[in-house]
Amino acid sequence: MTAVSSTAGGGAGPQNVFMDQFNLEARTQRVWDINHAIWFTLMGVGGGVFLAGRILNLTEGLGYVLGIPTVDVVSFLAIAVGGAILVADLGRPLQAWRAFVNVRTSWISWGAWSDLIFLVVAGLLVLPALSLGGSEPFSGLGWDPHGGDGGGLALEIIAGVAAVVVMTYAGAVLARPRAIPYWNSPAVPLQFLLSSAAMSVAVVMLIEVIAGEPVTAGQMVLLAVLTAALLVATVAHLLTRTTEPGKRESLDRLLKGQYRRLFVGLVVAAGTALPLVLAVVGAAASGARDALAVLCFLLLVPGGFWLRLLTLRVGIFPPVHIPGVGGPRSVAMPAGG
Amino acid sequence: MTRWGMVIDAARCVGCQACTVACKTENQSPLDAWYAPVIEWEEGEFPDATLNYLPVLCNHCEDAPCVTACPSGALTRRDDGIVMANEDVCIGSRACMTACPYGALHFFEDRGTVAVEGAPAEAVPSVPERYAHQRHVRGAVSKCTYCAHKIDFGLENGLEVGVHPLATPACVVTCPAECRIFGDLDDPDSNVSQYLAGHGGGEVLRPDAKTLPSTQYVGLP
């Protein structure tokens, strides 16, 4: 094949905003951008902080807001704000309730349900602890808000499962269709899950530092494991299907082109590898643990946001047809009927 | 079972964009939405350069990723294989646009429309369903429907779909080079099946996406 160039808006750039549809070129998706990156990040942190607070047994002792543990308040706020951004970004926000309809196949519907279930069930779980003006109007509800009895534990488990879906579904939304090769990989939801978990542990550690509680070596080890796994998932994603049309262009932008500094610098080095090193150091050096925890938070959260934003921005559709490369004959219709 | 499909003989296309405009006129698509454009590109270097044309539109896939991704159920696949967008049900998540390998879905931003003001949204008895498809909803996604309103009109009135101009997609009717053929892919005697058979079968765009399109091609560059 010889050189292919577009006559409709190629070379000097598109002649008008519509013309890229008429080109036989790789096409960058432009429909999801910074708003989606923000709510992907907030959902990840929201679900993760709820889980991290419970797994690390930190729901108590880190302060309370209206009787509700601070970690849970942070979790609810993150998911509520993320959900509000999501709804505001819809073309028809007043129709947002319809996002719950297609649970059979749509990951967005799964996400909508998991957000709702999480907020309702986790909200119910902590409701008995709610303190308003010195009184606890819901203390009569029949479960322990810390999951210490059967009812509380059941609510905690349901909320926990919903939280895992909340942390993962944004990646699954991107990974399922084959249209954009860079997204179409199990590595994307895995990256989002691991990034959410690492950010959440960092957020919980920051709350610990603010509350004057000691960050433990075990928490640093957990953070090290999560960031190491995130690094492996990221590198594995970068090393697979590297020559595939569409993904090749995505990788070029991330590793050589306009996003190189942001991706290699902010996401991989500062946002993943450096927190890994700091967490390993923090696990051994108890004296510097608080400072290292704050540093990990400052690195991991922006890193997680940029991971999501750059993943969206390098979403590239390959050309609908590559001249000279024929597809299989009659996929849907055998010759001769 | 009927499965409507289109065969596009790319070798016949002369790049006049009549289909692009006919579609726009028929469907009154929003200002920046082109449901059936013709892609063109230059290949080679002077003096051995060639100008190629590739008409594209919604592929009405059997395994339609837009339908799978749509959270609201606005995108559905009819029994006859046509993928429809119900703009009144669409929430504007644009998940379909990131899921479609062909760029066949269009988000109607609040940037104006070429639709005639006052075009009736409801069916008019004298022209059944004639204008309902021309009403577009801001903040929703719209797409090519193979001119389903014309197909349905033809079936209701005993016209031969894919042959009679009132029962055939506008892009097919208007094409001066007759590079588009529309008919029933499941009927071995139909015009599309016969055309495919005569050309050793058809090819599809983005075969890697495994969407099983009902829009097939012969004579691809």
Side-chain angles (χ1 to χ4, degrees), chain B residues 174-188:
Chain B
T174 201
C175 179
E178 294 188 341
C179 79
R180 293 170 184 255
I181 302 129
F182 187 79
D184 182 4
L185 286 169
D186 278 354
D187 175 4

Side-chain angles (χ1 to χ4, degrees), chain A residues 228-251:
Chain A
L230 175 59
L231 195 59
V232 170
T234 303
V235 171
H237 188 34
L238 296 175
L239 294 178
T240 50
R241 294 159 61 195
T242 53
T243 56
E244 194 174 330
K247 180 154 185 183
R248 189 178 53 222
E249 286 82 357
S250 300
L251 293 176

Side-chain angles (χ1 to χ4, degrees), chain A residues 84 86-98, chain B residues 90-92 139:
Chain A
L86 161 63
V87 171
D89 190 68
L90 293 175
R92 304 177 71 208
L94 297 179
Q95 299 287 322
W97 62 272
R98 293 187 193 273
Chain B
C90 178
I91 62 173

Side-chain angles (χ1 to χ4, degrees), chain B residues 179-201:
Chain B
C179 79
R180 293 170 184 255
I181 302 129
F182 187 79
D184 182 4
L185 286 169
D186 278 354
D187 175 4
D189 297 323
S190 71
N191 49 359
V192 281
S193 298
Q194 291 296 317
Y195 201 85
L196 285 173
H199 289 78

Side-chain angles (χ1 to χ4, degrees), chain B residues 124-136:
Chain B
V124 178
S126 59
V127 277
E129 302 290 331
R130 183 77 183 270
Y131 296 112
H133 63 280
Q134 294 185 350
R135 188 180 66 89
H136 298 288

Side-chain angles (χ1 to χ4, degrees), chain A residues 37-47 75 77-79 81-83 85 166 199 308:
Chain A
I38 293 170
W39 73 258
F40 285 1
T41 307
L42 287 172
M43 293 292 182
V45 169
S75 163
L77 276 178
I79 289 188
V81 173
I85 291 171
V166 167
M199 284 191 295
R308 287 157 177 80

Side-chain angles (χ1 to χ4, degrees), chain A residues 22 24 320-322, chain B residues 8 10 13 15 37-41 52-57 180 205 217 219-221:
Chain A
F22 294 79
L24 192 72
V320 291
H321 173 63
I322 299 172
Chain B
I8 297 176
C13 180
V38 177
I39 294 175
E40 54 185 60
W41 73 98
N52 297 294
Y53 302 109
L54 181 63
V56 293
L57 70 166
R180 293 170 184 255
L205 302 180
Y217 290 82
L220 279 177

Side-chain angles (χ1 to χ4, degrees), chain B residues 2-88:
Chain B
T2 301
R3 184 164 57 102
W4 300 119
M6 190 180 292
V7 175
I8 297 176
D9 190 337
R12 285 187 177 189
C13 180
V14 296
C16 67
Q17 302 279 4
C19 48
T20 310
V21 177
C23 169
K24 191 89 181 156
T25 309
E26 176 68 32
N27 292 289
Q28 296 290 318
S29 57
L31 190 59
D32 49 358
W34 302 90
Y35 298 161
V38 177
I39 294 175
E40 54 185 60
W41 73 98
E42 216 175 272
E43 194 170 3
E45 290 175 17
F46 180 83
D48 298 317
T50 314
L51 194 55
N52 297 294
Y53 302 109
L54 181 63
V56 293
L57 70 166
C58 173
N59 282 243
H60 296 274
C61 308
E62 199 168 319
D63 186 6
C66 58
V67 175
T68 303
C70 175
S72 68
L75 286 158
T76 51
R77 189 170 179 271
R78 305 199 320 187
D79 290 342
D80 60 7
I82 296 177
V83 176
M84 301 291 289
N86 185 338
E87 295 178 50
D88 289 319

